[in-house]
Amino acid sequence: MKLAVVREQAPGETRVAATPETVKKFIALGATVAVEPGAGNHASIADADYVAVGATVAADAVAGANIVLGVQGPDPAGLAAAAPGAWIVAGLDPFGQRGRVDAYATAGLEALAMEFVPRITRAQSMDILSSQSNLAGYKAVIEAANLYGRAFPMMMTAAGTISAAKAFVMGVGVAGLQAIATARRLGAQVSATDVRSATREQIISLGAKPIFVETVAGIEGEGAGGYATEMSEEYQKAQAELVSSHIAKQDIVITTALIPGRAAPRLISDAQIASMKPGSVIFDLAVAQGGNVEGSVPDQVVERHGVKILGYSNTPAKLPADASALFARNLYNFLAAFWDKEQGKPVLDEEIGNAIRLTQGGQVVNPRLLG
Ligand code: NAD
């Protein structure tokens, strides 16, 4: 069983899908591992570090590989030398990169999309969305603090008192929870909102204030698989009114709201931005999925009505070493959980295998793509 670790080709991608730690563990399972030269450079991992744990480093790492590991989906054109029916295990962006998925099918490859791992207890350690969102939520607050021309904590000094920043987190999934915790640690006064009622308790337990639409019902409990859906027009209107009255008093806003397979919901309009104090900062974590904030542009600081708006197309890539370490463990935990010692290779079950398998036998097979 040969595993190949590719050097990421996407612009701005700094992560790598395996670290010396996980390579060592794959070798302990009985696999051989080949790494493309420079694959770990941005994540502070030298080729020699992979060699030291038993991998080979070679430009033709993919040749004869049974499993190709990536952070993002590797270019199908570069996979011609992989073993027939090789698995591609990566974050494949199945809805956004449909053409690439079709090309994997045509090439007879078996593409496994790690973002489709179901949110069930035994798969938590394989969940790339959680591991990367957690770091993104942290980084969003750090970047917002960096752009903000004031301090976060209350400070009492001989020259007078500085009041604490007011931070508002919109969308309290994995990223939002970490954003709340990070803003609190920096000393901000934090409030947060979500459409899922189950987040209210979580917000309170982190010491933040829940701000919820009370007049129209949101999503009770956790929703399908823990995810939100598109809300009714009535809810959206009530939410807009609530946000309008709250946002004008905020210094920092972090938006994280996503709906799987759809454009991000618009949560903040230009008129609402205009109501904020000049010098306030908004970080739009959803900017790559269309944005929660009107006028946000990926990887640019946009100034509107004196408010700075920022969001990255790839936030986890701003923390390459930690993001790679966690991503690599997710891939290892996934393959190791299904490793069949007798066959010397992973054998997937139906629940997880069918959820993540996009292509097999020359066809696109995933129900979420077949619609
Ligand atoms: P996500 O990235 O899909 O969305 C981020 C947040 O935005 C969610 O909390 C969502 O409810 C919220 N949102 C969507 N539309 C909104 C709107 N119009 N206004 C305000 N908020 C809006 O979410 P996520 O971080 O992937 O987490 C989703 C759920 O999955 C959470 O309940 C999380 O705890 C759960 N989860 C479970 C597992 C597991 O293995 N059991 C693992 C990770 C996450």
Side-chain angles (χ1 to χ4, degrees):
M1 174 68 17
K2 178 179 175 182
L3 270 61
V5 182
V6 296
R7 179 173 185 206
E8 297 299 317
Q9 300 295 333
E13 185 53 82
T14 60
R15 295 168 291 173
V16 61
T19 58
E21 175 196 303
T22 63
V23 167
K24 198 173 168 183
K25 289 182 177 168
F26 281 126
I27 291 171
L29 286 176
T32 60
V33 181
V35 183
E36 287 185 352
N41 277 357
H42 295 296
S44 310
I45 304 168
D47 290 349
D49 299 333
Y50 290 112
V51 173
V53 293
T56 54
V57 173
D60 68 345
V62 167
N66 307 97
I67 300 177
V68 178
L69 302 179
V71 173
Q72 300 190 35
D75 182 355
L79 300 172
W87 289 7
I88 312 303
V89 181
L92 297 177
D93 188 13
F95 298 115
Q97 297 282 351
R98 181 57 200 269
R100 201 166 58 191
V101 173
D102 291 341
Y104 292 142
T106 307
L109 299 163
E110 192 164 327
L112 303 175
M114 290 301 291
E115 55 270 80
F116 279 6
V117 166
R119 260 124 181 230
I120 51 178
T121 304
R122 74 186 165 102
Q124 275 187 12
S125 67
M126 313 169 191
D127 185 352
I128 60 166
L129 292 181
S130 289
S131 73
Q132 305 302 295
S133 295
N134 175 49
L135 289 168
Y138 161 82
K139 193 65 172 169
V141 175
I142 299 298
E143 294 292 324
N146 196 31
L147 274 183
Y148 186 47
R150 298 169 184 269
F152 264 40
M154 187 186 84
M155 292 186 206
M156 288 161 76
T157 78
T161 301
I162 288 175
S163 47
K166 291 195 176 70
F168 180 38
V169 177
M170 304 184 72
V172 186
V174 178
L177 287 171
Q178 185 55 254
I180 294 172
T182 304
R184 289 264 300 150
R185 275 184 222 126
L186 287 177
Q189 267 178 32
V190 185
S191 57
T193 192
D194 200 292
V195 291
R196 294 182 296 112
S197 61
T199 59
R200 183 191 294 265
E201 287 300 314
Q202 297 164 358
I203 293 166
I204 294 169
S205 73
L206 286 171
K209 186 177 172 202
I211 305 288
F212 275 76
V213 172
E214 306 287 357
T215 47
V216 186
I219 298 170
E220 289 300 323
E222 285 283 6
Y227 288 115
T229 48
E230 205 146 36
M231 304 306 287
S232 66
E233 253 176 55
E234 193 190 6
Y235 185 96
Q236 287 179 27
K237 190 164 166 278
Q239 187 183 39
E241 280 165 17
L242 178 78
V243 169
S244 291
S245 61
H246 189 65
I247 207 167
K249 295 172 248 158
Q250 302 304 310
D251 303 301
I252 305 288
V253 179
I254 311 286
T255 68
T256 79
L258 291 177
I259 300 165
R262 296 195 172 229
R266 178 56 46 85
L267 300 183
I268 301 181
S269 67
D270 190 63
Q272 288 167 328
I273 297 168
S275 76
M276 295 179 72
K277 283 170 282 186
S280 303
V281 178
I282 304 177
F283 193 102
D284 186 353
L285 258 176
V287 73
Q289 285 85 7
N292 293 144
V293 183
E294 186 172 353
S296 65
V297 179
D299 305 312
Q300 276 183 41
V301 179
V302 176
E303 195 156 336
R304 287 225 183 181
H305 314 290
V307 176
K308 292 193 177 87
I309 307 164
L310 173 63
Y312 293 137
S313 48
N314 185 349
T315 314
K318 302 285 177 189
L319 294 162
D322 277 335
S324 300
L326 299 188
F327 195 104
R329 282 188 206 137
N330 291 143
L331 298 195
Y332 172 78
N333 292 336
F334 162 61
L335 291 170
F338 291 109
W339 205 272
D340 183 308
K341 284 216 173 78
E342 274 166 27
Q343 297 188 53
K345 63 176 190 180
V347 179
L348 302 185
D349 68 7
E350 281 192 5
E351 187 179 26
I352 294 178
N354 292 353
I356 66 173
R357 190 178 297 109
L358 303 185
T359 63
Q360 193 175 41
Q363 307 286 329
V364 173
V365 295
N366 194 285
R368 287 172 76 180
L369 290 183
L370 297 172

